Amino acid sequence: MALSAQQIPRWFNSVKLSSLITATQLGKHFQRPGRTLSHGFSAQPQMSSDNCFLRWGFKTYRTSSLWNSSQSTNSSRQEISSAQSALLPSINEQTQKTQRIPSFDSELSLEALDDLPPLSPLQPVSEEEAIQIIANPPLPPDTFTLRDYVDHSETLQKLVLLGVDLSKIEKHPDAANLLLRLNFEKDIKQILMFLKDLGLEDNQLGTYLTKNYAIFSEDLENLKTRVAYLQSKNFSKAHIAQMVRNAPFLLSFSVERLDNRLGFFQKELELSMKKTRDLIIRLPRLLTGSLEPVKENMKVYHLELGFKHNEIQHMITRVPKMLTANKRKLTETFDYVHNVMSIPHHLIVRFPQVFNTRLFKIKERHLFLTYLGRAQYDPTKLNYISLDKLVSVPDEIFCEEIAKASVQDFEKFLKTL
């Protein structure tokens, strides 16, 4: 193994003593008449063993200086010139009597350095050698933010360019360990290409990966198998892309779990496969979230609120969020609409969007209509107001078309509440 530029001076010092002992043998090697040194210096035909060692040491120093990229050309020439004047004082006097010889670099080959034993890591380093060592800044041993690693990680840099929000990912203890171990070309690029083929746009990748960075730990073949399963259930490619965007963890679930979830909703709700598919497309989080709220709400609708099974089917297919809505919100909304506004079950079933509306909004509009004497929700009577219009239209339309009043009147009334 070839020595580095920093190791050459240290090696030179370690072998100087042994080189003095073998100076006579080296002198024989250089006793060739008529050879000229580089940079115009010439060597005498006969030379003492001490001078031979000095010349050999000078060649070693010159070779190491050429390998050191941090040393400038001018300083190299000055060192060579000073070394020549100090080590070879009589060479200039006989320049014309000698012939030229090959350069030092050709005589001191790298192969000769390969035979040297490696330096010990415990060997002391001089101050001159220490100041030449250039080390990269170390990674922080302990940190609370991925920002400290961005300059050191190509993977993190490219994820940031994609729009990934590292400030959100770093809140998860396992996220940093996962991302810092990954290689962008080997581990991440293929996942990105898979998501793009699936239908995610470039400007959607950052948001998706911020929520589901763990997809990089998934096997690509498993991801393709899950997509193939959804396609076998007649989910189109466009619908699958839509489901993945709205439920980022969807592809992290195994085929067995996806199949069990689809079977649960089809069986519990007694829906056809088409209606089950439409339900999942509109709310794909049903496949990734907990089933406990779903089971609880089904009991609430049937046992506490008094809806029939077919009425529940109709409402959840119209408003799938009713399956995961907060139980307290459901009961409070039903109590106000049914018991205060006196709207029967069958009208609520026709407009289940009322369960997806904030209760204070229903109260404000109902009280305003009551103040104006227009709170009439019976479809068999004049001036009938449907729940759909009551909760879905903006304030301007509500005041103009339903309440027959101005927005300013409505705002003044709200201040009296």
Side-chain angles (χ1 to χ4, degrees):
M1 178 179 67
L3 296 177
S4 66
Q6 295 176 359
Q7 292 175 318
I8 290 296
R10 296 168 60 186
W11 167 79
F12 173 70
N13 293 332
S14 66
V15 301
K16 184 181 294 184
L17 181 61
S18 62
S19 299
L20 284 171
I21 298 174
T22 59
T24 303
Q25 297 178 356
L26 290 172
K28 293 181 181 180
H29 174 71
F30 287 103
Q31 290 176 357
R32 297 179 184 177
R35 299 199 301 177
T36 303
L37 303 179
S38 62
H39 299 286
F41 292 100
S42 61
Q44 298 181 13
Q46 300 295 329
M47 182 180 297
S48 67
S49 61
D50 291 340
N51 286 340
C52 179
F53 167 73
L54 293 174
R55 284 186 56 195
W56 175 82
F58 169 65
K59 291 188 294 182
T60 305
Y61 174 78
R62 181 176 178 273
T63 304
S64 66
S65 66
L66 290 174
W67 288 345
N68 192 345
S69 60
S70 65
Q71 190 172 14
S72 65
T73 304
N74 293 333
S75 62
S76 300
R77 290 178 179 175
Q78 292 175 359
E79 291 178 3
I80 294 172
S81 177
S82 62
Q84 289 169 341
S85 61
L87 302 179
L88 302 173
S90 62
I91 288 179
N92 289 332
E93 299 175 359
Q94 300 186 18
T95 304
Q96 304 298 328
K97 299 179 182 181
T98 58
Q99 300 176 356
R100 296 192 175 276
I101 61 174
S103 66
F104 291 141
D105 296 338
S106 62
E107 293 185 10
L108 189 59
S109 62
L110 295 177
E111 287 77 3
L113 299 178
D114 290 340
D115 297 333
L116 296 174
L119 294 176
S120 171
L122 301 179
Q123 184 171 344
V125 180
S126 66
E127 294 183 3
E128 292 77 6
E129 295 169 338
I131 62 176
Q132 297 179 9
I133 299 176
I134 301 176
N136 293 325
L139 290 173
D142 190 13
T143 181
F144 294 97
T145 174
L146 284 172
R147 181 173 51 190
D148 295 336
Y149 292 95
V150 172
D151 291 338
H152 307 274
S153 172
E154 178 189 11
T155 297
L156 293 183
Q157 293 171 10
K158 292 187 176 181
L159 289 177
V160 170
L161 292 177
L162 286 172
V164 177
D165 190 345
L166 297 182
S167 65
K168 294 182 179 180
I169 292 180
E170 66 191 15
K171 296 177 181 179
H172 304 276
D174 59 330
N177 292 331
L178 171 64
L179 296 181
L180 291 174
R181 290 198 308 265
L182 297 178
N183 178 277
F184 187 86
E185 294 293 329
K186 180 181 177 182
D187 305 314
I188 293 182
K189 189 174 182 179
Q190 58 180 355
I191 301 295
L192 295 178
M193 297 304 297
F194 166 77
L195 293 174
K196 286 178 63 65
D197 291 340
L198 192 62
L200 269 68
E201 302 294 337
D202 291 345
N203 58 358
Q204 297 171 339
L205 290 175
T207 302
Y208 176 84
L209 296 176
T210 299
K211 296 179 179 179
N212 187 20
Y213 60 88
I215 195 174
F216 294 130
S217 62
E218 296 284 349
D219 182 77
L220 182 59
E221 293 303 318
N222 288 339
L223 296 176
K224 292 180 178 179
T225 300
R226 293 161 194 172
V227 172
Y229 166 77
L230 294 174
Q231 291 175 335
S232 70
K233 297 299 181 179
N234 294 326
F235 289 96
S236 67
K237 184 177 180 180
H239 285 152
I240 295 175
Q242 175 185 334
M243 292 162 59
V244 170
R245 286 192 297 267
N246 296 333
F249 297 99
L250 179 63
L251 295 180
S252 298
F253 290 89
S254 66
V255 170
E256 292 75 11
R257 183 167 184 176
L258 294 175
D259 187 67
N260 289 337
R261 288 297 180 93
L262 287 174
F264 169 82
F265 290 107
Q266 185 175 7
K267 179 180 179 180
E268 292 295 321
L269 303 178
E270 298 182 4
L271 299 175
S272 64
M273 188 58 205
K274 182 181 182 304
K275 288 186 176 181
T276 303
R277 185 167 52 248
D278 293 340
L279 179 70
I280 298 302
I281 291 173
R282 296 183 61 186
L283 191 64
R285 290 187 291 107
L286 292 174
L287 294 181
T288 60
S290 173
L291 292 179
E292 293 305 316
V294 175
K295 296 177 181 178
E296 184 68 19
N297 285 348
M298 291 293 293
K299 294 179 181 178
V300 170
Y301 292 131
H302 181 62
L303 300 178
E304 297 185 24
L305 306 186
F307 289 101
K308 300 177 181 178
H309 188 74
N310 62 330
E311 293 176 332
I312 298 174
Q313 285 180 324
H314 177 80
M315 289 190 297
I316 62 174
T317 54
R318 294 281 301 275
V319 185
K321 287 184 178 180
M322 289 180 61
L323 287 172
T324 57
N326 179 270
K327 175 183 175 181
R328 180 179 177 181
K329 179 180 181 298
L330 290 175
T331 54
E332 289 180 349
T333 299
F334 176 82
D335 179 67
Y336 190 84
V337 172
H338 181 67
N339 297 322
V340 176
M341 298 174 62
S342 302
I343 299 179
H345 282 77
H346 70 276
L347 290 181
I348 297 177
V349 171
R350 291 176 58 186
F351 305 107
Q353 292 85 353
V354 69
F355 289 106
N356 202 29
T357 306
R358 294 181 179 180
L359 181 57
F360 77 87
K361 183 178 181 179
I362 300 174
K363 289 182 177 180
E364 289 176 348
R365 293 189 174 187
H366 169 68
L367 292 174
F368 186 56
L369 292 175
T370 302
Y371 172 76
L372 297 175
R374 304 185 62 86
Q376 208 288 95
Y377 308 111
D378 187 348
T380 62
K381 298 179 181 180
L382 295 176
N383 300 322
Y384 163 69
I385 298 175
S386 68
L387 280 178
D388 184 32
K389 290 184 178 180
L390 179 69
V391 302
S392 62
V393 298
D395 287 344
E396 293 79 6
I397 297 178
F398 166 75
C399 293
E400 181 180 352
E401 298 184 3
I402 300 176
K404 307 298 181 181
S406 65
V407 177
Q408 291 76 14
D409 293 336
F410 183 48
E411 292 175 348
K412 290 179 180 179
F413 172 79
L414 295 180
K415 292 178 181 180
T416 62
L417 297 180

